[in-house]
Amino acid sequence: MSDPKRRSLLKAGVAALGAAVLGKQTEDRAEAGHGHHRSGPPGKADHAHPRWGMVIDLDRCTLCSSCTTACRQENNVPSVGPDDDHRGALIEWIGILWQEPEQPGALPTGMPFPCQHCADAPCVKVCPVGATFKSPDGITMQIWDRCIGCRYCMVACPYGRRSFNWEEPEWSGTQVQMLNPDVATRPGGVVEKCTFCHHRIRRLREDAAVEGRELRDEELQRLPACAAACPAEAITFGDLHDPESKVATQARDPRRFQLLDYLGTDPSVIYLKRDRR
Amino acid sequence: MTPPAAPERSPLRPVTGLWYLLVLLSALALGFGLYAYSIQLERGDIATGLRNPGNGGAAWGFYIVFYVYFVGVSFAGITVASLARLFHIETLKPVTRLAELLTIVALIVGALMVLADLGRPLDGLQKLPMLARPSSPFYGTFTLVVSGYLFSSLVFFILAARRDAATMARTGPRLLRPLYRLWASGFREEGVAHARHWRTSYWLALTILPLLVIAHSTLGFIFGIQSGRPGWFSALQAPAFVVLAGVSGTGMLILFALLARSIFRIRDLVPEAAIRWLGTFLWVLAAVYLYFIIVEELTSTYAAPRADRTIAHEVVEGTFSTSFWVAVGCLFGAFLIPFVMYLRKGGSLGWLAVAALLANVAAVVKRLLIVVPSQTHGGLLRMRQGVYTPTWVEAGVVIGGAGMLGLAILVFGRYFPLVPSHVTDEQRHTPVPRDPLRSIVSLVWLFGSLALIIFGLGDSFRLWSHGELDPRVPFSPAIFATGVILLFSTAIVYEAFPARRRTPPARVAKPPPRATLRRKAMPPRVDVRAQFRSSRDRRIRRTS
């Protein structure tokens, strides 16, 4: 993003406006995707602008759903009623993507399924008010207060990882006491989604700043609530830009794959195939 | 104006009993819609049949379908009015005002449908003008469609009716006369005014037609550019939306013209030829859309990716097959009936009404088939398939919107003539005197609004925000929209600018012929060619 370039475009006047606008869009996209750094072999470490990512090793995953429960607890995800009317109104930030068993009679398989935090996120492009955006460290964020509830992001997301608050969430007396004060509750009529436990990263950053040191990979690996809760340590979190980090090392595993990678969204969540030995 | 010998008669005619019945029905529908919406506001969007896509539901349903439908209905109105002006189609002139009115009201109702869809409508009203981003097709929807398209139509409508407003200011109901006078905005019955309007309407019509295509394409792009939604992701969406808008809009215009003829007793003013012309327009558009359906289904069934094929299968022979064949059947009817009438050069107008109704049924059902199946069955990952059943609340809000549309047109027709008064060609081609002040003010207005558009659009694109989420100047999308509105209102400024104080009428009564005066003042004519010839002759003579 160079200012002189932009200024010269503006000076070119009305005729250049179209070009400037297109150029700006491309720049925006480049910025959003960190210049389309592929998440595969990571480049140089850039701690000022990390790219937070997650590796989920399906070989380790036992589909115990601890991650989904921990996430609900951590992020004050409201539960919806049990009746038929509420089918499809379920709000979940991380769920399980169940897959049909390959042979009849075999156990069903699946994978933990959080927001993929795409580098080139379709939901970010379509949001009419900028309520969802790419943070500089690669997280697809959502500002609840800014959302107008048009649900365009929900229909644009190829992964279906966005949930709408179809009604005002209600918390009973004991539930209120169990709410996490670090995460704001959302009103009815807005879309919500996984933030990679952004508040935990922020707190860690603040602590590190107080101690005058860099973030350490060990303290990042199990940082999000889902990763912390996983008994099999299947979920690893960290900076994909740091080649030494565990997450980047795992991301170079030959078993790696990204969901719907042919769409070119470049997810920050990388799966490791189940190894059938 | 010279006072007329006999007292001037109002152009309004008494309405039939059907008017009262229809007004009652429309008002009831509107009331029901408001009640339904109040339920939705109270309970939240759980009151609708919409749910999370990928989790067993569809996030967009009736509201978006009818938003697209109502905006589509608005298509025909302004197209017909623009075509009538650009190609000077006198046959269509009697239906132009009704057409423009339909456009304006349908656009407003369409915008209300989006508002009903929003989870937080008040935040939407505040944040869209403040923060809207052009990279979202919703920006196009709210600025291009609503401001540009609506206001250009409004300007077209207001200017074309100034003369009748002036008549109504003299003859209409006393209570409303100030309103009529405001509308007439100093219209004077003279050739120059007609000639000026003839000019501005030409430029407006020329501007509106491309804007119209852009606006309807924007609607198509809402769906067509989503690569993650098989069934939507197609370059055909934008042109198909334009054409289907034309089908439903022309159909609706035929219905309204036929109804207006009997309700307002204006059978003699709206000739059958005008409605037959619309019938011809209808079968052409319906045929084009049938072609689009064939192209779409062939492409998505022949060797398309799995998800596209699943949706095509669901639509043509699966869950949605009944709706699909109803839509195709209705569309075929909307093509066949007017086509046969066209070939036979006759036939009852009642049949045309049937075709128009079929066109609208087809448009609604086809839109439903565009919006819903891709969300419920179009997951690229093998996720839970969804169902979408609209609740009575959604249906109620849509019925309310339709009631509002009917009510607005019925009430307007009761207090304003729906057929424009006749303007002769002679009046239209009156020479327009030079009026530098008027031109300068209009040009300044035009360039001022262009500046607002450029600034508003640039800032909406966050060109000067240095990576911030917000535009540099708050409400820059609103600045862009204001620019668009002002751009079109240049036509109003040009036409309604107060005329220069002329010489008192006494002297105008016997004006000296200006042409002769000028000729007298000019120096005696010199025949340059003759002079040249003679000098050349002299030269030739000298050389020889």
Side-chain angles (χ1 to χ4, degrees), chain B residues 48-321:
Chain B
T48 66
L50 303 166
R51 291 297 178 266
N52 295 336
N55 236 330
W60 282 355
F62 250 36
Y63 293 142
I64 295 292
V65 168
F66 278 90
Y67 158 61
V68 175
Y69 169 74
F70 280 120
V71 175
V73 162
S74 76
F75 174 91
I78 206 70
T79 313
V80 164
S82 297
L83 290 181
R85 169 62 189 91
L86 285 179
F87 301 110
H88 205 353
I89 309 171
E90 281 295 328
T91 325
L92 281 179
K93 287 279 157 68
V95 291
T96 49
R97 182 167 303 156
L98 187 64
E100 291 156 22
L101 181 67
L102 183 64
T103 294
I104 293 163
V105 182
L107 271 177
I108 295 172
V109 174
L112 291 178
M113 288 295 123
V114 177
L115 213 57
D117 183 66
L118 292 186
R120 298 205 296 175
L122 287 179
D123 286 66
L125 283 178
Q126 178 213 346
K127 281 168 186 152
L128 279 170
M130 193 162 88
L131 304 165
R133 295 161 70 236
S135 53
S136 166
F138 253 102
Y139 182 87
T141 312
F142 273 87
T143 51
L144 267 175
V145 179
V146 177
S147 73
Y149 188 23
L150 175 62
F151 278 88
S152 57
S153 314
L154 205 59
V155 165
F156 205 86
F157 178 70
I158 287 174
L159 288 178
R162 270 175 81 211
R163 184 207 210 183
D164 289 332
T167 315
M168 291 304 293
R170 295 188 299 270
T171 61
R174 282 190 191 284
L175 210 61
L176 294 174
R177 283 190 189 178
L179 278 181
Y180 293 131
R181 215 167 294 134
L182 183 72
W183 189 340
S185 56
F187 183 84
R188 279 196 281 183
E189 184 60 43
E190 51 190 11
V192 182
H194 292 296
R196 276 209 190 95
H197 177 61
W198 192 238
R199 264 187 197 182
T200 50
S201 60
Y202 174 78
W203 286 106
L204 277 175
L206 210 57
T207 332
I208 286 174
L209 278 184
L211 185 67
L212 188 100
V213 174
I214 297 172
H216 285 280
S217 302
T218 313
L219 289 188
F221 284 136
I222 292 183
F223 306 96
I225 57 177
Q226 297 309 324
S227 61
R229 284 265 154 244
W232 284 5
F233 187 56
S234 156
L236 199 61
Q237 293 288 16
F241 264 71
V242 177
V243 175
L244 191 54
V247 173
S248 59
T250 313
M252 194 54 102
L253 183 57
I254 292 174
L255 282 180
F256 269 97
L258 287 173
L259 266 178
R261 263 161 61 103
S262 68
I263 295 174
F264 299 110
R265 300 179 209 267
I266 47 174
R267 246 173 246 276
D268 53 323
L269 296 180
V270 183
E272 280 196 10
I275 295 166
R276 283 185 199 284
W277 195 102
L278 292 175
T280 310
F281 199 42
L282 177 63
W283 76 250
V284 173
L285 290 172
V288 174
Y289 198 75
L290 279 170
Y291 164 69
F292 277 176
I293 289 187
I294 294 168
V295 171
E296 187 189 3
E297 295 309 330
L298 189 65
T299 313
S300 54
T301 45
Y302 190 75
R306 179 190 58 82
D308 291 77
R309 240 183 287 184
T310 310
I311 293 177
H313 175 83
E314 288 293 335
V315 167
V316 178
E317 47 188 7
T319 323
F320 303 97
S321 61

Side-chain angles (χ1 to χ4, degrees), chain A residues 72 78-81 84-92 163-167, chain B residues 46 50-52 55-57 384:
Chain A
R72 301 195 83 82
S79 38
V80 291
D84 262 7
D85 200 28
H86 289 86
R87 260 156 49 104
L90 174 73
I91 300 176
E92 59 175 14
S163 309
F164 186 69
N165 282 277
W166 293 98
E167 56 191 337
Chain B
I46 197 84
L50 303 166
R51 291 297 178 266
N52 295 336
N55 236 330
R384 218 173 104 198

Side-chain angles (χ1 to χ4, degrees), chain A residues 26-65:
Chain A
T26 329
E27 280 173 24
D28 273 352
R29 204 168 302 139
E31 190 189 12
H34 278 274
H36 284 276
H37 288 302
R38 297 300 303 184
S39 47
K44 240 179 75 185
D46 175 10
H47 284 288
H49 279 300
R51 179 182 172 180
W52 300 125
M54 190 177 265
V55 169
I56 301 177
D57 189 344
L58 299 181
D59 216 11
R60 284 170 167 268
C61 175
T62 59
L63 293 176
C64 69
S65 292

Side-chain angles (χ1 to χ4, degrees), chain B residues 266-443:
Chain B
I266 47 174
R267 246 173 246 276
D268 53 323
L269 296 180
V270 183
E272 280 196 10
I275 295 166
R276 283 185 199 284
W277 195 102
L278 292 175
T280 310
F281 199 42
L282 177 63
W283 76 250
V284 173
L285 290 172
V288 174
Y289 198 75
L290 279 170
Y291 164 69
F292 277 176
I293 289 187
I294 294 168
V295 171
E296 187 189 3
E297 295 309 330
L298 189 65
T299 313
S300 54
T301 45
Y302 190 75
R306 179 190 58 82
D308 291 77
R309 240 183 287 184
T310 310
I311 293 177
H313 175 83
E314 288 293 335
V315 167
V316 178
E317 47 188 7
T319 323
F320 303 97
S321 61
T322 320
S323 314
F324 176 73
W325 291 109
V326 165
V328 171
C330 287
L331 201 63
F332 192 68
F335 158 72
L336 197 64
I337 297 172
F339 184 61
V340 170
M341 286 174 71
Y342 170 80
L343 290 181
R344 291 181 51 207
K345 296 186 174 57
S348 155
L349 286 185
W351 279 108
L352 208 52
V354 173
L357 202 64
L358 289 179
N360 278 278
V361 173
V364 171
V365 178
K366 185 69 181 72
R367 255 83 186 239
L368 205 62
L369 290 175
I370 294 171
V371 173
V372 175
S374 176
Q375 295 179 70
T376 52
H377 293 76
L380 288 170
L381 297 164
R382 292 187 186 275
M383 294 171 79
R384 218 173 104 198
Q385 288 196 339
V387 274
Y388 168 65
T389 323
T391 58
W392 73 267
V393 172
E394 286 168 277
V397 171
V398 170
I399 289 170
M404 195 177 152
L405 180 91
L407 197 63
I409 291 178
L410 286 167
V411 171
F412 183 85
R414 178 84 169 76
Y415 296 105
F416 204 87
L418 279 178
V419 179
S421 52
H422 188 64
V423 179
T424 61
D425 265 355
E426 195 187 335
Q427 283 171 316
R428 283 171 187 151
H429 299 301
T430 315
V432 179
R434 284 172 63 80
D435 192 348
L437 193 59
R438 180 191 299 266
S439 309
I440 290 171
V441 170
S442 308
L443 279 177

Side-chain angles (χ1 to χ4, degrees), chain A:
Chain A
M1 295 250 295
S2 58
D3 262 338
K5 181 187 160 205
R6 216 188 268 169
R7 215 168 292 139
S8 71
L9 277 170
L10 290 173
K11 277 182 190 157
V14 186
L17 185 76
V21 158
L22 286 176
K24 167 70 182 164
Q25 269 192 321
T26 329
E27 280 173 24
D28 273 352
R29 204 168 302 139
E31 190 189 12
H34 278 274
H36 284 276
H37 288 302
R38 297 300 303 184
S39 47
K44 240 179 75 185
D46 175 10
H47 284 288
H49 279 300
R51 179 182 172 180
W52 300 125
M54 190 177 265
V55 169
I56 301 177
D57 189 344
L58 299 181
D59 216 11
R60 284 170 167 268
C61 175
T62 59
L63 293 176
C64 69
S65 292
S66 300
C67 49
T68 60
T69 315
C71 174
R72 301 195 83 82
Q73 203 64 47
E74 175 71 17
N75 292 299
N76 303 332
V77 178
S79 38
V80 291
D83 52 340
D84 262 7
D85 200 28
H86 289 86
R87 260 156 49 104
L90 174 73
I91 300 176
E92 59 175 14
W93 288 17
I94 182 169
I96 304 282
L97 178 64
W98 292 104
Q99 286 157 322
E100 304 276 314
E102 277 164 19
Q103 291 129 13
L107 285 172
T109 56
M111 49 175 87
F113 192 31
C115 166
Q116 303 290 300
H117 295 277
C118 314
D120 192 6
C123 56
V124 170
K125 283 184 196 164
V126 299
C127 180
V129 291
T132 181
F133 65 99
K134 290 302 288 184
S135 76
D137 43 11
I139 302 178
T140 306
M141 294 294 294
Q142 174 92 8
I143 313 176
W144 331 120
D145 200 34
R146 201 162 165 150
C147 177
I148 60 174
C150 72
R151 303 187 290 281
Y152 201 169
C153 54
M154 295 178 70
V155 296
C157 176
Y159 306 96
R161 286 295 80 193
R162 290 175 156 271
S163 309
F164 186 69
N165 282 277
W166 293 98
E167 56 191 337
E168 204 71 41
E170 280 176 19
W171 310 97
S172 65
T174 44
Q175 278 176 320
V176 170
Q177 289 165 11
M178 277 152 56
L179 286 177
N180 180 359
D182 285 346
V183 180
T185 55
R186 281 75 58 184
V190 303
V191 172
E192 59 178 70
K193 64 177 289 296
C194 158
T195 62
F196 264 170
C197 283
H198 171 251
H199 55 284
R200 288 193 175 196
I201 304 174
R202 203 177 48 212
R203 176 180 283 179
L204 197 63
R205 268 222 180 101
E206 283 164 7
D207 288 351
V210 168
E211 292 165 25
R213 59 173 177 85
E214 297 264 303
L215 291 181
R216 285 192 292 265
D217 186 47
E218 308 80 64
E219 55 194 1
L220 284 166
Q221 285 171 12
R222 307 274 169 250
L223 187 71
C226 52
C230 181
E233 298 192 345
I235 303 177
T236 313
F237 183 77
D239 179 10
L240 288 169
H241 282 176
D242 175 8
E244 309 295 320
S245 69
K246 189 176 178 200
V247 75
T249 319
Q250 285 196 336
R252 289 193 291 268
D253 192 297
R255 292 184 293 142
R256 76 187 294 274
F257 71 95
Q258 288 164 306
L259 278 179
L260 304 180
D261 57 346
Y262 60 87
L263 289 178
T265 50
D266 189 13
S268 299
V269 174
I270 292 150
Y271 290 93
L272 302 184
K273 249 182 224 148
R274 189 165 285 121
D275 199 357
R276 298 187 185 285
R277 272 167 299 188

